[in-house]
Amino acid sequence: MKIKLIASSIMLTLLCLLGSCDDKLEVQQAYNFSLTSWYLQKTISPDETVEIRLTLNRSGNYEEARYQIGYIQMEGSGEVYDKKNVRLVNREMQPLDSIAELDGSDPCRQVFTLFYRNRSSKNAEIKFVVTDNFHQKRELDVSFQSETDTKQ
């Protein structure tokens, strides 16, 4: 009886150990990320251009991850472009790696610069949107108070 109990225990232990093994390697693909900006000025004049330095911070690196960036002009009127004067189109996404002078030396921290040219005497509010190919989306709101409003 003792031998049957020991044999049954060993068989049950082996079954649990071997049954739970999986030889498939799981690779994490979708890493969390954020979009941040460096210090931005508070006010803007009509026809003034402002530098917006952005950083895509990734919690990990998956080589097949692809990012897109776009913006929405929420208030005011203006245009966004990169260091080679290539305009981004309001409400359209484009590949992040198409932005001029994207610093990708650290794949977990990609730094790039965009410019906003104000075409209005009203306050300006822009929403930057970054998505990845795993359907994750991050937003960053940037706003400038019109200098014409502050002088009144």
Side-chain angles (χ1 to χ4, degrees):
M1 179 75 174
K2 253 184 172 179
I3 295 176
K4 283 186 178 180
L5 187 60
I6 292 173
S8 296
S9 296
I10 291 173
M11 293 294 274
L12 187 60
T13 303
L14 286 173
L15 185 61
C16 288
L17 289 174
L18 295 176
S20 65
C21 290
D22 186 359
D23 61 349
K24 292 181 183 174
L25 178 64
E26 289 187 27
V27 176
Q28 183 173 350
Q29 297 174 342
Y31 287 97
N32 192 25
F33 65 93
S34 65
L35 182 65
T36 58
S37 69
W38 292 8
Y39 171 80
L40 293 171
Q41 66 189 56
K42 304 263 187 252
T43 60
I44 193 166
S45 300
D47 293 320
E48 182 178 1
T49 299
V50 177
E51 178 179 326
I52 304 172
R53 185 91 162 206
L54 298 167
T55 304
L56 179 71
N57 297 294
R58 300 164 56 182
S59 64
N61 181 28
Y62 176 60
E63 235 177 77
E64 300 300 316
R66 300 290 176 252
Y67 296 87
Q68 291 194 324
I69 188 165
Y71 79 97
I72 302 168
Q73 181 84 48
M74 304 298 287
E75 188 177 339
S77 177
E79 55 193 25
V80 176
Y81 55 93
D82 68 12
K83 283 189 171 185
K84 290 191 176 179
N85 288 322
V86 175
R87 283 189 59 210
L88 280 72
V89 178
N90 188 16
R91 300 185 183 270
E92 288 188 16
M93 302 298 283
Q94 71 178 62
L96 182 65
D97 58 9
S98 71
I99 300 295
E101 298 186 32
L102 172 74
D103 181 1
S105 57
D106 179 353
C108 291
R109 187 175 183 273
Q110 296 175 299
V111 179
F112 56 101
T113 301
L114 296 175
F115 298 90
Y116 175 73
R117 183 175 299 125
N118 188 24
R119 297 291 187 197
S120 172
S121 60
K122 299 179 181 179
N123 293 340
E125 185 179 338
I126 309 149
K127 181 183 296 281
F128 288 99
V129 180
V130 174
T131 61
D132 68 6
N133 53 330
F134 302 103
H135 308 293
Q136 297 183 95
K137 177 171 82 170
R138 302 294 181 268
E139 297 176 351
L140 176 68
D141 292 327
V142 173
S143 59
F144 303 101
Q145 187 173 6
S146 171
E147 285 198 358
T148 57
D149 284 352
T150 59
K151 290 178 183 176
Q152 294 176 354

